[in-house]
Amino acid sequence: LNGSKLVPLNLSWAILLASFMDKLEPFAGLEISESDWRSMAAGAVAETRKVYPFTPRQRLADDLEQRVDERTRQLHASEAHSLRLLNATSDGIIGVDTGGNISFANRAAQNMLGYAENELIGRNLHETLHPFCPDGSHNPRESCTLCRARLGSDEMRFTLESFLHKSGDIVLVSGSIAPILEENAATGSILAFHDVGEAYKSELWQRIIFDSAGEAFFIWDEKRKLQSCNAAAVKWLGASSKEEVLARIKEFQPTVQEDGTTTLQALED
């Protein structure tokens, strides 16, 4: 079976690829030059010829190149599919490296923040997108919640943060940031977010209308626990603040209503 024509190709390829991976290991994370590539391929072929000495050297080299090309095409196809999925989502997704620099931004993130394709790549996340707090004040890196979360080992969710649009406008967002872990070590992080500006404005207007109403309003949950009240309710009860009303609501309630039913029965009805 060691002749030049009859070769157990599956076994020879396994030996060839195993030898090649051994040669490749010292270059993990490093750029491989053309001369290094040729040296590794030649070394892998030489190792395989120790087992199959009569198989032509060029045939083994061609087999190795074919297999590497095939695997490279598979990896590129997988990366392209992942990119299509990331660009299909409506949430902004940004990849950040260990230095805090942006390594990836999907189409939704680019559109929300006003940047062209790949324009965010290499920029510092904090300096580019998160230099201000939601109230417009400066956001120091040392106290930045996203910077601290990026260096942690757990996912962190946020409900309201301000990102800086390329135009200089503020974009209010909510989302999460989580570390990318390899062997329990963070190699970067993924930031996912969506624009909550319109929803926040709508809620703010509702709050303004609620608080400025002349009549007293109370908000109760399904367990009949008071969640909130407006300024008119505070004044009507003679309390000093909303917090006092929430803490002492039972004291403010009469035991019997005007129609004779108990307050407890009225709430249950």
Side-chain angles (χ1 to χ4, degrees), residues 2 21 64 67 69 72-73 98 107 112 142 152 157 162 170 184 187 194 204 228 248 253:
N2 284 343
M21 294 304 294
L64 176 60
R67 284 294 178 129
D69 287 345
T72 300
R73 285 193 298 271
T98 53
R107 188 173 295 120
M112 268 189 271
E142 296 75 21
R157 294 185 176 275
S162 57
I170 293 294
N184 296 323
T187 59
H194 57 275
L204 186 60
S228 184
R248 300 177 54 203
Q253 293 175 296

Side-chain angles (χ1 to χ4, degrees), residues 77-98:
S78 177
E79 290 175 358
H81 179 64
S82 298
L83 182 60
R84 286 194 295 271
L85 292 177
L86 290 171
N87 281 330
T89 179
S90 60
D91 281 359
I93 299 177
I94 290 178
V96 186
D97 64 21
T98 53

Side-chain angles (χ1 to χ4, degrees), residues 185-198:
T187 59
S189 54
I190 290 290
L191 172 67
F193 60 94
H194 57 275
D195 189 337
V196 296
E198 291 303 319

Side-chain angles (χ1 to χ4, degrees), residues 12 33 35 53 122 151 160 201 212 232 243-245:
S12 67
S33 66
S35 61
L151 298 174
L160 188 66
K201 290 176 185 177
S212 61
E243 289 71 26
E244 183 184 0
V245 174

